[in-house]
Amino acid sequence: MSTHASMIKKGISHLGIFFLSVLSLFPLTVLYLFADITYLLLYYVFGYRKQVVRTNLECAFPEKSAAELLIIEKRYYRYLADLIFEILKMSSISAKEIEKRFVFKNKEQIQAYLSRGESILVCSAHYGNWEWGTLGAGLNFAANHYPIYKPLSNPFFDHWFKKVRSKFGNQLIAMRQTMRALQASKDKPSIFSFGNDQAPTREESHYWTIFMNQPSAIQLGIEKIARKTNRPIFYFRISVLKRGYYEVDCVPLCLNPAETTDYEITELHTRFLEEIIKAEPAYWLWSHKRWKHRPPAATGF
């Protein structure tokens, strides 16, 4: 990229960040009005990734009728619009507001591990408002919290969003730096959080299984780390209570990873997420191209 083009990109990025920061200052009541309009635009005007969503839902729920799938589809887009503005609000939202709107329950077992100087791993997914969940975890546990994330392609937006996500004590770690961060933090109680429903690239280490009625590649990162370190795994199960209000159940998923067999942990968290999605499908990220890669013939799928 030429110097001139780079300067233009930088200027546009900073202008966009300024606009998003100003928009974040509006109260959530106003932002939800914007979300109502955004839903109409996304769904009825632009049809944002509508074919991706529709295909994903049809493949995931072959037993449902067209009418049932349409209800889920519209509910998903309504929630997606809310989610967009809730994520924008992160730039200015206060700790008090997060604690009111994102409540953690059954966290005593996690706190017991941390109080003994032990570390844990957390598994989650792109379900509900996982971004507010990151902020809430930083506020609810007395330990270093390391959310593992995939950097954005735009370095200016990546820097801004990382700063926003790092509020309230979070220390974001790029996926490729996970092992280094684990080694550096081994002497202090810590929480490493993984979102394991993102499709891995062809080059990444993964495992093929049936997830939501389709052959799916699942990342192996949390299983490898858990079995190597024997850190217990908890699942942060997010429930949407009402618009802008959530509850997280801290579910013990695997407390003795060293005793598990190959892929047992991966199957465990995959099935757990599958149950969550089937119970309330509208809150998962259906517009994500989760099934863009097909399994090699050798896998037998």
Side-chain angles (χ1 to χ4, degrees), residues 13-277:
S13 298
H14 283 301
L15 185 63
I17 290 168
F18 173 76
F19 172 75
L20 296 178
S21 299
V22 171
L23 192 60
S24 174
L25 297 175
F26 284 92
L28 276 166
T29 50
V30 175
L31 292 179
Y32 283 134
L33 293 177
F34 295 158
D36 291 337
I37 298 170
T38 300
Y39 159 67
L40 297 175
L41 293 173
L42 286 176
Y43 190 74
Y44 291 103
V45 178
F46 300 112
Y48 170 72
R49 290 196 173 187
K50 189 180 285 189
Q51 192 54 55
V52 172
V53 173
R54 192 160 292 174
T55 300
N56 283 344
L57 288 173
E58 288 172 351
C59 292
F61 300 105
E63 75 283 0
K64 293 187 182 296
S65 67
E68 290 174 314
L69 291 175
L70 185 61
I71 291 171
I72 297 171
E73 180 179 293
K74 290 183 177 181
R75 287 186 64 209
Y76 168 69
Y77 276 95
R78 284 190 179 275
Y79 182 70
L80 177 63
D82 282 0
L83 182 63
I84 290 169
F85 285 93
E86 287 179 4
I87 290 175
L88 288 179
K89 185 63 182 175
M90 288 169 63
S91 178
S92 64
I93 200 166
S94 67
K96 183 178 180 181
E97 189 81 357
I98 285 291
E99 288 177 326
K100 180 179 75 172
R101 291 177 172 272
F102 217 100
V103 177
F104 283 71
K105 70 173 187 177
N106 298 324
K107 57 184 182 181
E108 296 79 11
Q109 196 169 5
I110 291 177
Q111 291 172 328
Y113 277 105
L114 300 175
S115 66
R116 294 195 297 267
E118 300 178 47
S119 297
I120 68 157
L121 304 177
V122 164
C123 194
S124 61
H126 293 89
Y127 187 91
N129 192 334
W130 65 90
E131 295 289 359
W132 279 13
T134 299
L135 296 184
L139 291 168
N140 276 268
F141 299 102
N144 292 327
H145 181 220
Y146 300 96
I148 309 303
Y149 82 110
K150 187 175 183 178
L152 301 176
S153 57
N154 184 306
F156 307 107
F157 277 99
D158 181 64
H159 176 76
W160 175 75
F161 202 27
K162 183 178 179 180
K163 182 179 179 181
V164 169
R165 286 166 153 175
S166 298
K167 291 171 65 172
F168 314 138
N170 296 315
Q171 301 177 54
L172 269 74
I173 303 296
M175 292 175 67
R176 296 183 183 278
Q177 303 298 321
T178 303
M179 296 309 298
R180 184 181 299 177
L182 279 163
Q183 182 64 25
S185 64
K186 66 179 182 179
D187 296 326
K188 296 180 180 179
S190 63
I191 301 173
F192 277 73
S193 297
F194 298 79
N196 269 36
D197 59 335
Q198 186 165 320
T201 65
R202 291 187 183 277
E203 296 75 26
E204 292 175 330
S205 177
H206 56 261
Y207 163 73
W208 285 93
T209 189
I210 298 296
F211 168 62
M212 296 308 298
N213 201 48
Q214 298 165 86
S216 306
I218 310 295
Q219 293 178 345
L220 290 172
I222 193 167
E223 172 167 326
K224 289 183 175 182
I225 291 169
R227 295 184 70 189
K228 184 176 181 179
T229 64
N230 203 33
R231 295 186 181 192
I233 305 171
F234 287 80
Y235 202 106
F236 280 1
R237 177 171 186 162
I238 299 175
S239 298
V240 182
L241 303 181
K242 59 181 181 179
R243 197 177 205 182
Y245 288 85
Y246 301 85
E247 184 177 77
V248 183
D249 191 2
C250 303
V251 181
L253 195 69
C254 181
L255 300 182
N256 295 291
E259 298 178 3
T260 62
T261 57
D262 288 349
Y263 311 123
E264 182 179 343
I265 291 171
T266 301
E267 283 290 337
L268 195 61
H269 69 68
T270 300
R271 299 303 144 226
F272 194 79
L273 173 59
E274 195 171 52
E275 290 177 9
I276 294 170
I277 295 171

